[in-house]
Amino acid sequence: QIQLVESGGGLVQAGDSLTLSCAVSGRASSFYTTAWFRQAPGKEQEFVAASSWSGANTGYSDSVKGRFTISRDNAKNTVYLQMNSLTPEDTAVYYCAAKQVGRTTYMWYAHAGAYEYWGQGTQVTVTS
């Protein structure tokens, strides 16, 4: 199996940028779809962004499209979420997730149930 560990969260001001990292370790192959989800207090878990294993195919929620960028470095077994123009509405615990796929699968998924591996989460707080 694989393990996911998020890092890079913190407290920033509105308009600032922040980059989250998710280190992947374990016995999984390099072929896995990766996503970021977030959950704010009192709210349901929300899809943020996802990437196919190659990084060529990505998708974003409407709330972050144009501001956030998901990327991955498979050689370093790390996935990133670059967040720009942060607002207080972005405050949440951010989780990375992974789904092992076949080599010929170039899909990404916005449904949390599609992912079998999850990190512990990292807190992002944006003040006004």
Side-chain angles (χ1 to χ4, degrees):
Q1 309 302 316
I2 64 173
Q3 295 78 46
L4 309 176
V5 180
E6 302 96 333
S7 63
L11 191 153
V12 297
Q13 297 182 13
D16 284 354
S17 298
L18 197 63
T19 299
L20 305 182
S21 299
C22 179
V24 182
S25 62
R27 299 181 180 181
S29 72
S30 298
F31 308 120
Y32 53 90
T33 298
T34 308
W36 289 93
F37 292 81
R38 67 186 183 185
Q39 187 166 18
K43 297 183 179 180
E44 295 182 351
Q45 189 179 68
E46 177 189 18
F47 169 76
V48 177
S51 172
S52 64
W53 68 262
S54 69
N57 302 109
T58 59
Y60 302 89
S61 68
D62 290 339
S63 62
V64 307
K65 190 176 300 181
R67 298 188 298 120
F68 291 10
T69 302
I70 187 171
S71 62
R72 57 195 295 172
D73 187 337
N74 288 333
K76 297 181 178 179
N77 295 318
T78 304
V79 61
Y80 305 94
L81 184 67
Q82 174 65 49
M83 305 182 293
N84 298 323
S85 301
L86 286 164
T87 72
E89 288 73 27
D90 296 316
T91 295
V93 177
Y94 284 70
Y95 300 89
C96 63
K99 171 184 174 61
Q100 189 166 351
V101 298
R103 193 179 73 88
T104 59
T105 301
Y106 307 106
M107 301 287 294
W108 56 265
Y109 310 89
H111 178 49
Y115 298 90
E116 61 261 55
Y117 304 108
W118 291 81
Q120 82 287 355
T122 185
Q123 176 71 49
V124 173
T125 302
V126 185
T127 61
S128 60

